[in-house]
Amino acid sequence: MKPNPAPAQDALQKSDFAALSEFRYQMRRYERFSERAVQAEGITPLQYLLMLHIKGFKDREWATIGELAERLQAQQHGVVALVSRCEAAGLVARRVHAEDRRRVEVHLLPAGEAILARLAAIHRAELRALQGVFTVPHLP
């Protein structure tokens, strides 16, 4: 079922479309920058994001498959396959949770940590360079 069109008083103006277009353009430029940087390290963008989400998980140094699936906005079976590829590449390791043996923790290994540290520094520098350019548009 298609959503109802916005009422006339909420119609977007040309400037609204321009702001949305500029935002999407800057977002895509950043994504393309990221893809190139990641591929230069010999990994895929999804492998980078997986490692980033493990390292960036709040209050601990590991994440579950379900948590990673949510962060990646992906299906769990796809994340299982991604973790398997990262594990085969020596980037991550699965470990059984100490208290709940049904839970599997995904941890970064030293090789994954090293790649992630290099890539995160490059990404942070690029984001700093984009300050004031890459902004969320204000839409009334």
Side-chain angles (χ1 to χ4, degrees):
M1 181 175 188
K2 290 185 177 180
N4 293 333
Q9 71 267 21
D10 292 335
L12 294 173
Q13 304 300 311
K14 176 71 171 165
S15 61
D16 297 325
F17 286 102
L20 289 169
S21 172
E22 182 63 20
F23 176 74
R24 290 305 302 233
Y25 168 64
Q26 293 299 337
M27 189 169 60
R28 183 62 192 126
R29 280 186 60 204
Y30 179 76
E31 287 174 354
R32 187 71 183 126
F33 155 82
S34 180
E35 290 165 0
R36 288 179 178 146
V38 167
Q39 289 166 349
E41 283 285 340
I43 64 172
T44 68
L46 277 176
Q47 288 173 320
Y48 168 67
L49 289 175
L50 178 86
M51 293 189 301
L52 179 64
H53 291 314
I54 293 168
K55 184 70 173 180
F57 205 83
K58 190 173 174 78
D59 298 327
R60 61 178 196 249
E61 294 296 316
W62 55 270
T64 67
I65 297 290
E67 292 164 341
L68 293 168
E70 171 60 26
R71 298 293 290 192
L72 293 167
Q73 290 294 287
Q75 298 292 320
Q76 284 198 15
H77 66 276
V79 175
V80 168
L82 178 60
V83 168
S84 294
R85 289 191 302 275
C86 287
E87 200 169 32
L91 304 172
V92 304
R94 289 180 177 104
R95 297 183 189 146
V96 175
H97 190 273
E99 296 165 13
D100 183 351
R101 305 214 29 96
R102 295 169 298 173
R103 283 178 79 181
V104 175
E105 304 170 355
V106 182
H107 292 259
L108 279 176
L109 293 176
E113 290 268 6
I115 291 171
L116 181 61
R118 286 191 301 272
L119 287 170
I122 292 168
H123 283 80
R124 181 176 59 187
E126 181 68 8
L127 281 174
R128 284 182 174 154
L130 290 172
Q131 283 181 332
V133 174
F134 186 64
T135 59
V136 176
H138 173 72
L139 300 172

